[in-house]
């Protein structure tokens, strides 16, 4: 026997066959579970989209005065916002205007969140949980629900004057 003849390898050796068995098993498991992974990705994207829409709608309602800023008088907002509008400072974030909350309709909120989602908006007093205003339909059997809670300042009375930055004893 010559060295040249012994150095030839075999195409299918026992080592190669033993290495192909775990690779085949792993590929089979990944192929069988790919549907579940795709469902998980789609579910994560859908839930992230729902969260973003819900939080953006609540931020718009509580941090802006809407467009136009006096939409409660005209009754036709292009964007509804509930924050009190101060001509010198702009919208006072986290304060609900006494006239804007009663003027808010289901259609105004639906325009904020889009037609793909339903909603239930419930404004209550923090101290006694008495409901001030409810909009939308509460659906206890909904599969996916995003709950957004925010604390805001609300008064039944409209402030018509205020004493701010006064100098005493001059």
């Amino acid at each position: 026997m010559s060295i040249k003849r012994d150095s030839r390898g075999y195409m299918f050796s026992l080592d190669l066959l033993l290495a192909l068995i775990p690779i085949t098993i792993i590929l089979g498991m990944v192929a069988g579970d790919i549907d579940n992974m795709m469902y998980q990705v789609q579910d994560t994207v859908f839930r992230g989209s729902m969260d973003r829409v819900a939080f953006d709608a609540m931020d718009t309602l509580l941090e802006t005065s809407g467009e136009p800023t006096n939409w409660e008088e005209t009754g036709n907002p292009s964007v509804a916002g509930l924050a009190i509008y101060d001509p010198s400072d702009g919208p006072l974030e986290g304060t609900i205007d006494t006239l804007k909350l009663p003027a808010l309709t289901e259609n105004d909120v639906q325009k904020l969140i889009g037609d793909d989602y339903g909603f239930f908006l419930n404004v209550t007093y923090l101290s006694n949980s008495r409901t001030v205003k409810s909009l939308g339909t509460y659906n206890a059997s909904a599969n996916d629900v995003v709950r957004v809670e925010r604390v805001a300042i609300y008064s039944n009375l409209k402030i018509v004057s205020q004493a701010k930055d006064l100098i005493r004893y001059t």
Side-chain angles (χ1 to χ4, degrees):
M1 283 208 180
S2 68
I3 295 177
K4 194 174 192 182
R5 189 173 176 149
D6 280 345
S7 65
R8 292 184 194 164
Y10 289 96
M11 185 173 231
F12 293 106
S13 68
L14 186 59
D15 295 338
L16 178 64
L17 291 176
L18 289 176
L20 285 176
I21 291 172
I23 290 174
T24 306
I25 291 172
I26 290 172
L27 287 175
M29 289 172 55
V30 168
D33 202 36
I34 195 113
D35 289 340
N36 189 30
M37 289 188 302
M38 291 301 292
Y39 173 76
Q40 295 273 344
V41 168
Q42 289 174 347
D43 187 53
T44 302
V45 169
F46 176 72
R47 288 183 187 276
S49 174
M50 270 185 28
D51 287 347
R52 182 185 49 77
V53 167
F55 282 97
D56 287 350
M58 188 58 65
D59 288 343
T60 300
L61 285 172
L62 291 180
E63 295 178 3
T64 68
S65 297
E67 185 64 37
T69 56
N70 64 341
W71 65 265
E72 73 279 7
E73 295 170 8
T74 63
N76 190 15
S78 58
V79 175
L82 298 175
I84 294 173
Y85 184 74
D86 184 0
S88 61
D89 292 337
L92 303 175
E93 296 178 5
T95 60
I96 298 177
D97 191 307
T98 306
L99 299 176
K100 289 184 180 191
L101 185 60
L104 187 68
T105 64
E106 286 188 31
N107 189 34
D108 298 334
V109 179
Q110 195 68 54
K111 283 196 311 190
L112 283 176
I113 63 172
D115 294 330
D116 294 335
Y117 304 104
F119 74 94
F120 177 67
L121 175 72
N122 194 25
V123 179
T124 59
Y125 286 107
L126 194 58
S127 59
N128 58 11
S129 298
R130 191 180 68 177
T131 299
V132 178
K133 182 162 185 138
S134 288
L135 288 175
T137 305
Y138 180 72
N139 186 357
S141 64
N143 292 331
D144 297 309
V145 175
V146 175
R147 184 178 177 137
V148 181
E149 291 185 5
R150 293 279 163 60
V151 176
I153 299 170
Y154 176 73
S155 173
N156 287 330
L157 305 173
K158 179 116 173 126
I159 299 172
V160 292
S161 68
Q162 62 183 356
K164 184 177 172 183
D165 299 328
L166 295 178
I167 301 173
R168 294 179 60 188
Y169 303 111
T170 56

